[in-house]
Structures are given as C-alpha cells and as structure tokens.
Amino acid sequence: MELYSNVIGEGRSFIILHGFLGMGDNWKTLGKAFGEQGFEVHLLDQRNHGRSFHDEAFNYEVLVADLKHYCEVNNLRDIILLGHSMGGKTAMLFATEYPELVSKLMVADISPRFYPVHHDRILEGLSSLDFSELASRGEADDQLAKYVSDFGTRQFLLKNLYWVEKGQLGLRMNLPVLKAQVEEVGEALPMHAKFDGDTLFLRGDKSEYISLEDESIIQRHFPKAKIETVSNAGHWLHAENPEEFYNYVIDFIK
C-alpha cells in the first residue's frame, strides 16, 4: 500500500512528514514556497492519517517502512527529509536506517528521547464527536471546545473533518488505532541509532519539546547536528512563525 502524497514543484526531492493527528496538507503553504526554490516537494500523509491507508499496525518501524516503499516506488534518492514532531521521529529513524538515501535531515521540535503520552484530552475530545448528530464544522468545533480550549489547536484538528457523503461528516484519521497505539508516538530513537549526515534541529522558543538536556542526546545520535531556535513560536513553529522557519530551512538546504 502506498502513502498518499501531494507533489509540488520540480527539482531535488524534498519530503515533508507531518506530526501526530496532522496531514501533509498542513504544510501546503510552506511546500509551495519550497517548490518555488527548485525543489520537488512531497507532502506525505503517514499511515492512519489524512488520505493514506488505515492499518492496525502503527509504530515507527512501519512508518519508516512506508517511507522506504514510497521512495522505491517513486525512484527517490538523495532526498532532503523534514519531519515535524511524530514525523520528525519517523525522519530520524529513517535517516539512521537508510543514510544512503538522505542527503540532509531536518527535525522540527522533537528530540530523539522518550516522551510520555500527553494527547489524552485531545483524543478524548475527538472521540466525543458524534457524527450522527453533528451536522457542521461549527458544531464539531463547539463540541471539541469542551476538551480543547486552544482555538489554534482545534483548527488544526478539525482539518481532519470531511464530508463522507452528502450531509455526513467524518474524520480522515484512523482514530481507533491512533488511540489504541498512542504510546508508540513517544518512543525513543533506538540507543545505537546514528546518522552522520548534515542535520538541522529546529525548536520553538516557547516550546518545551527540545530542552537543554536534549542537546547532548541529539549530538550523540546526530554528530553533525545544528540546533536553531525559531522565535515567537511554540510546538507548531512552522505555522506560528513560517517566515523564520522557512529562512532556516532554505539556508540549510541551499
């Protein structure tokens, strides 16, 4: 089974992997901007997300295998690889397992370490959406607001809404499997995993996902890693300060 992708632009292969509960579409604006700089940008939906296939198996090994298959089918080599959050974990593991395929690695606001589950409230809120009763995006937002107070986070989550058929809303993600396997999302990079290629870690200055203690862990797995901080940005740094994020990425890949 192949991952769904939206391909923008022409030039060097540049793959972008979204975070947990997201989709490639979250990256469309930046994808277009990168595409205009001479890159063929592949915005992927990882399994159980967006328009990609649903499957009971969900962990970083299978996410990496999906990406490897995608590269083989599309004859992609020497790729630039960027991943945010969960996508960053997929990207890290992929680069350590297939270093010959990756020319440059970028990881947005996640470290190789273990993270405890912290999406409980969001998953509870999404599970509470009863589409036999909810008839509009506004009604879904009102319901989700009982669990998720932050407007921006709700807008991000509600991008998953779509019309299954006339008058019938649904979620694109495979919520039952993502709920059941949520522990997998925080898994650490294997102890001996290492990538010696050019690597850039970007963190939001208001985010706690990459701490000072994480810097030594990053250097151990990625000896060439540079760590930069995007100002006025939390965990969704690419959405909160896209201009600065874009500049760091372009400087690194050009």
Side-chain angles (χ1 to χ4, degrees), residues 16-19 22-31 34 82-85 108-109 156 202-204 230-246 249:
I16 301 181
L17 301 173
H18 61 81
M23 59 180 86
D25 200 50
N26 302 142
W27 287 83
K28 212 153 77 179
T29 306
L30 273 169
F34 295 137
L82 164 61
H84 170 243
S85 203
D109 214 54
F156 162 77
L202 291 167
R203 63 177 163 208
V230 175
S231 63
N232 299 317
H235 186 53
W236 280 285
L237 60 178
H238 56 290
E240 293 168 44
N241 191 344
E243 200 175 320
E244 201 173 309
F245 186 90
Y246 170 86
V249 169

Side-chain angles (χ1 to χ4, degrees), residues 37-128:
Q37 293 296 322
F39 298 98
E40 183 182 85
V41 183
H42 296 250
L43 304 179
L44 266 55
D45 287 352
Q46 298 185 85
R47 70 165 60 197
N48 294 322
H49 288 77
R51 290 175 169 83
S52 279
F53 60 90
H54 289 188
D55 194 89
E56 290 297 318
F58 186 73
N59 56 57
Y60 287 114
E61 286 298 337
V62 296
L63 294 178
V64 163
D66 291 343
L67 180 54
K68 175 75 163 57
H69 178 68
Y70 182 86
C71 289
E72 283 168 357
V73 168
N74 294 283
N75 201 18
L76 304 181
R77 287 185 298 277
D78 195 33
I79 61 171
I80 295 161
L81 182 57
L82 164 61
H84 170 243
S85 203
M86 177 190 88
K89 292 253 187 182
T90 306
M92 283 188 255
L93 185 60
F94 183 86
T96 63
E97 291 191 358
Y98 304 105
E100 70 284 357
L101 294 178
V102 180
S103 64
K104 284 179 185 283
L105 171 68
M106 289 170 285
V107 179
D109 214 54
I110 200 82
S111 143
R113 70 172 158 90
F114 167 79
Y115 290 79
V117 173
H118 53 282
H119 299 95
D120 319 45
R121 206 63 191 142
I122 285 177
L123 291 169
E124 235 180 291
L126 289 170
S127 301
S128 78

Side-chain angles (χ1 to χ4, degrees), residues 150-162:
D150 181 64
F151 176 76
T153 304
R154 291 202 310 278
Q155 292 314 105
F156 162 77
L157 294 167
L158 291 171
K159 264 188 167 272
N160 285 284
L161 281 183
Y162 78 113

